[in-house]
Amino acid sequence: MSPAAFGLTCEYNGDITLTLTLYTVDVELSLMAQLHGIDAAENVDSAVFGKTPQGDFGIGYQMQRLNAHNLKGVFFVEALHAEILGSEQLQRIVAAILDAGHDVQLHLHAEWFWWAHGEKRRPRTIRGMADFTREEQRDLICRGADLIERCGAPRPVAFRAGGFEANDDTLGAVADASMLFDSSYNAAHVRGSHQMSPRGFSNAPFKADGATEIPLTCFYERPNRLRPLQLCAASTEELELVMTQMHDRGEPVVNILSHSFELLCRRRTHPNKMLLSRLDRYLDVIAAAKTSGDFHDLNIETMLQSPCHSAPVSGYLPTLKRTALQVYGHLVYDRMPYPQPVQPTL
């Protein structure tokens, strides 16, 4: 089924206007590298700044391209690692983002918690934020916000759980930590320890336990199959279709996901040139819509009054085209598997 079957065009006309488009980047060190005993600075160079023999393709590259399009990015920075590895690398990350004029918010991977307690093995009971009580989640969020603030950034107003592994208590914990927004709800990832209650899915923001949830934007690539609007997971054509449909329905916000290492191959030894090209096309679409901003630009009252709609639909043809591109990208850039982890020595 082609997009025409949904009354849509695949050709972008430059007339998409939404309240706000959030281009969000999860910035995090590699736990796999930590398991291999990789030095913290080297870990950050690879997973955050994307250093390769061909150049740097991490957050610096993404910020450079955002600036070239006169856009602002939101960088959810993982902070708990600083309690284990020290604050030097976190300061380095935060300074780079602020110097480039972008927004710093809070990201936590609870997996770092067990390293802080000297565990040589990851406890099976700790997988993500959802494995902690509301009070424990609040304490972790406060600790992370303190770490970000001590590194020179304004105190975060938004939080995203690592791996979207959150639950209903997370929303309460965010509010208890005096933060306004959560962005941990990913309807395409409702499994495992992602335990937020079903919302009769829509991309519309909602309020619960004092916090305003800004869901990651998702769309139906085919009936009953949701997909996140993520740089490596959705084509530019699908981005255009989603933004057009959300504009036509009066949706207030589009929330796009990327990662600090998203533009690299699996082993992070060289860039994925297909994704480099896609990034610029993404930013062309967002810039033409003239709606880029950050969480400080969100009007909570206006957003919560917006109608709820079902997720946008891309259709079979864009899905098939994107799948073919992904197969090509995998064959060209991602054929080398990760090596097996070794037992760390603490």
Side-chain angles (χ1 to χ4, degrees), residues 149-164:
E149 197 170 24
R150 287 201 294 268
C151 287
R155 193 165 185 86
V157 299
F159 171 73
R160 177 176 287 161
F164 297 98

Side-chain angles (χ1 to χ4, degrees), residues 185-241:
Y185 187 69
N186 176 357
H189 193 76
V190 179
R191 56 181 172 79
S193 55
H194 180 95
Q195 298 165 7
M196 284 189 176
S197 301
R199 305 282 170 177
F201 176 70
S202 104
N203 288 310
F206 59 87
K207 197 157 191 171
D209 279 341
T212 301
E213 178 65 34
I214 310 296
L216 177 66
T217 298
C218 294
F219 63 96
Y220 285 108
E221 61 177 350
R222 57 180 182 268
N224 301 315
R225 178 66 178 258
L226 281 168
R227 191 168 189 82
L229 194 59
Q230 181 174 351
L231 180 64
C232 71
S235 67
T236 309
E237 182 178 28
E238 288 168 320
L239 172 70
E240 295 167 3
L241 289 168

Side-chain angles (χ1 to χ4, degrees), residues 139-193:
D139 291 345
L140 286 172
I141 291 169
C142 287
R143 283 157 62 179
D146 288 344
L147 288 163
I148 292 288
E149 197 170 24
R150 287 201 294 268
C151 287
R155 193 165 185 86
V157 299
F159 171 73
R160 177 176 287 161
F164 297 98
E165 295 183 342
N167 60 7
D168 290 332
D169 283 341
T170 306
L171 289 165
V174 167
D176 294 344
S178 300
M179 298 179 74
L180 297 175
F181 301 100
D182 181 75
S183 187
S184 304
Y185 187 69
N186 176 357
H189 193 76
V190 179
R191 56 181 172 79
S193 55

Side-chain angles (χ1 to χ4, degrees), residues 59-126:
I59 61 170
Y61 183 89
Q62 294 200 46
M63 291 189 293
Q64 177 191 36
R65 301 316 305 150
L66 283 160
N67 289 341
H69 288 79
N70 197 29
L71 298 173
K72 192 169 187 178
V74 177
F75 290 79
F76 282 97
V77 179
E78 205 293 315
L80 278 184
H81 73 271
E83 292 200 344
I84 297 92
L85 305 177
S87 61
E88 180 182 356
Q89 299 306 320
L90 181 60
Q91 289 175 338
R92 180 182 167 202
I93 294 166
V94 169
I97 296 168
L98 295 178
D99 289 347
H102 298 278
D103 188 42
V104 176
Q105 299 299 338
L106 179 63
H107 189 48
L108 295 181
H109 269 274
E111 295 94 327
W112 289 98
F113 180 82
W114 56 274
W115 283 100
H117 289 75
E119 298 283 353
K120 291 187 177 181
R121 294 181 180 273
R122 175 179 174 178
R124 293 184 179 182
T125 56
I126 299 178

